[in-house]
Amino acid sequence: MSRDARWKALLELLVEQGRLAPGTAGALVRDLRPLVAAEASAEAHGDALDSGDLEQSVWVRLLERLGTEGPPPDAAGWVAGAVREEARRARHRAQRERPYPAEPAAGPAACPERAALVAERRRTLRAAVARAPVHCRRLLTAMLAPEDPTYREIAGELGISQGSLGPMRSRCLGCLRRMLATEVAAPELRGMER
């Protein structure tokens, strides 16, 4: 339901309940909308507040008033005062609100979507390593070990010289790239192309 449709439904409800005279609701909203937007924008700009939040607060106050007292006799003056009051409340609330010092800010690693994507990439990588040729599988498994072994430790574990580990790693990573090219979207190019 659009914003205008929600307004219309709410104002019709107020008319049905006898809290608002028929015909005045649409005219009131139509006449006050530009004024509320202008006042909220002017007040928000000076205090770095969100004008949309101020507008929403003023409309809620107006609807509350319509439900109890009816439309204000001086609508323009009421809107200006309501916007100033809501801006004052927002400034006061912003001054009082402070983040909890004991709680660390949630970083990108704490994002559940990111964690799911990282886990999916790891599963895809591990599956590709499992399909690689035996010598590449052994090397890549050793390199992906959580202990983060050194080249010397990997060479000792595989029984090959440390000097041949670099070229073998390069060939195995090329093999892995070719295998993953069809499964995973290539990252954007960075730097210069060759």
Side-chain angles (χ1 to χ4, degrees), residues 39 43 47 49 54 57-58 61 77-93:
E39 290 282 342
E43 194 70 37
D47 292 319
L49 301 171
L54 284 178
S57 297
V58 170
R61 284 184 73 175
W78 183 90
V79 166
V83 168
R84 280 193 301 276
E85 177 65 22
E86 289 301 325
R88 187 190 64 75
R89 283 183 183 176
R91 283 190 303 270
H92 186 68
R93 193 171 36 248

Side-chain angles (χ1 to χ4, degrees), residues 29-67:
V29 171
R30 184 183 61 248
D31 293 344
L32 291 182
R33 183 177 286 164
L35 180 62
V36 170
E39 290 282 342
S41 177
E43 194 70 37
H45 180 70
D47 292 319
L49 301 171
D50 183 17
S51 65
D53 288 346
L54 284 178
E55 277 188 65
Q56 185 177 13
S57 297
V58 170
W59 285 115
V60 167
R61 284 184 73 175
L62 179 61
L63 288 175
E64 289 171 350
R65 179 186 169 95
L66 290 175

Side-chain angles (χ1 to χ4, degrees), residues 9-38:
L10 185 57
L11 292 173
E12 287 173 3
L13 178 65
L14 289 173
V15 169
E16 286 175 18
Q17 294 175 348
R19 296 181 182 181
L20 192 61
T24 60
L28 186 67
V29 171
R30 184 183 61 248
D31 293 344
L32 291 182
R33 183 177 286 164
L35 180 62
V36 170

Side-chain angles (χ1 to χ4, degrees), residues 188-194:
E188 294 180 20
L189 294 176
R190 295 185 198 139
M192 297 173 54
E193 285 188 54
R194 293 183 188 204

Side-chain angles (χ1 to χ4, degrees), residues 85-161:
E85 177 65 22
E86 289 301 325
R88 187 190 64 75
R89 283 183 183 176
R91 283 190 303 270
H92 186 68
R93 193 171 36 248
Q95 289 172 351
R96 286 188 325 208
E97 291 178 352
R98 298 284 180 249
Y100 289 117
E103 291 185 25
C111 175
E113 292 87 4
R114 183 164 300 195
L117 289 173
V118 167
E120 179 62 28
R121 284 187 200 124
R122 281 194 184 122
R123 281 191 294 274
T124 303
L125 178 63
R126 295 284 180 187
V129 167
R131 292 190 318 269
V134 176
H135 64 282
C136 287
R137 186 178 328 136
R138 289 179 58 217
L139 173 65
L140 293 171
T141 301
M143 292 183 79
L144 292 172
E147 305 86 44
D148 196 23
T150 63
Y151 266 31
R152 175 177 282 160
E153 293 168 341
I154 293 172
E157 181 183 326
L158 298 177
I160 59 175
S161 71

